[in-house]
Amino acid sequence: MPEMSKQYFTTSELASMCGVTKHTLFHYDEIGLLKPEFINAKGYRYYSFRQCYLLDIINVLKKAGSSLQEIKDFIQNQNTPLLIKLLKQKQRDLEAEQLRIKRMQDILRSAIQMTETTMEGLRDVPLIEECEEEYFIATPLEHGDDDKEFARKLSEHRDYCEKHVIDHEFPIQCQQVSDTRC
């Protein structure tokens, strides 16, 4: 056994080398994602160097948002075209997430700017500002709408903008000055 153990890594050694916990490796073994190369008579798990590479792939796919089941399916049907397809899909997912984050940053930046501008106080005279051309998406409110209906329409408005990847501003603009919700 001493000769064989030199060719393999213990659970602790593999975990340390690959930046995971022993518990993670035990869990992966339990769900059949990454089984040890062999288990000795005392129950100690041993992993091969080849499994370091496999664990790296698991970590990359997991960090890219793959579920453990997706990763397990890939490992059971390993082939290069499938890996490339999976990695490209995760790349598209991450690009979409980056776009979502950028849009949220833009909304927050706009909210901060508008709030700071409002804090400067109201002006006694009208102010004319030149701005880039903008388009507005309006959601009509009825005069008798209660707070729940207002919240429902606001939610539908946000959902529409998100679904169609339309930048939307933080503040709510209303035409009726007498409506206290605006």
Side-chain angles (χ1 to χ4, degrees):
M1 175 65 187
E3 210 41 54
M4 181 162 274
S5 65
K6 289 181 183 177
Q7 299 172 19
Y8 292 94
F9 302 102
T10 64
T11 304
S12 294
E13 291 170 333
L14 184 69
S16 177
M17 282 181 7
C18 296
V20 298
T21 65
K22 285 174 40 175
H23 175 75
T24 297
L25 292 175
F26 293 148
H27 179 65
Y28 289 175
D29 181 13
E30 188 178 296
I31 65 172
L33 182 59
L34 181 66
K35 294 267 185 205
E37 193 78 23
F38 76 93
I39 301 175
N40 73 8
K42 293 183 179 180
Y44 292 112
R45 296 167 167 94
Y46 291 91
Y47 297 86
S48 69
F49 183 74
R50 179 185 60 79
Q51 289 177 299
C52 291
Y53 172 71
L54 187 56
L55 188 54
D56 281 341
I57 290 174
I58 291 169
N59 286 335
V60 166
L61 292 174
K62 189 175 171 196
K63 286 177 182 176
S66 295
S67 70
L68 292 180
Q69 186 60 50
E70 285 176 312
I71 297 169
K72 185 176 177 181
D73 292 344
F74 162 72
I75 289 172
Q76 291 173 345
N77 303 303
Q78 279 188 56
N79 64 57
T80 304
L82 181 60
L83 177 61
I84 291 170
K85 179 181 177 185
L86 185 58
L87 292 174
K88 284 183 178 182
Q89 178 58 50
K90 291 306 165 188
Q91 185 177 25
R92 285 189 297 272
D93 293 348
L94 289 172
E95 287 167 356
E97 181 66 9
Q98 282 179 319
L99 178 61
R100 187 191 71 75
I101 290 170
K102 184 190 176 311
R103 291 181 63 236
M104 290 305 300
Q105 288 174 323
D106 290 344
I107 289 170
L108 292 174
R109 192 177 298 101
S110 175
I112 290 167
Q113 180 185 11
M114 287 183 208
T115 304
E116 288 175 346
T117 300
T118 302
M119 287 174 47
E120 292 173 7
L122 297 174
R123 294 180 169 82
D124 293 334
V125 294
L127 175 67
I128 298 175
E129 280 186 42
E130 285 194 40
C131 302
E132 292 182 35
E133 182 178 42
E134 294 181 352
Y135 297 92
F136 293 94
I137 297 175
T139 300
L141 299 173
E142 302 298 324
H143 183 65
D145 286 349
D146 61 10
D147 288 342
K148 284 187 178 183
E149 184 63 14
F150 176 80
R152 185 187 66 74
K153 287 181 178 181
L154 180 60
S155 177
E156 286 177 2
H157 182 89
R158 280 193 201 112
D159 290 346
Y160 178 88
C161 292
E162 292 292 327
K163 180 180 176 185
H164 293 90
V165 193
I166 298 170
D167 287 334
H168 54 92
E169 300 292 332
F170 177 73
I172 301 168
Q173 303 285 333
C174 294
Q175 290 182 340
Q176 290 184 339
V177 178
S178 62
D179 193 336
T180 58
R181 291 178 296 204
C182 300

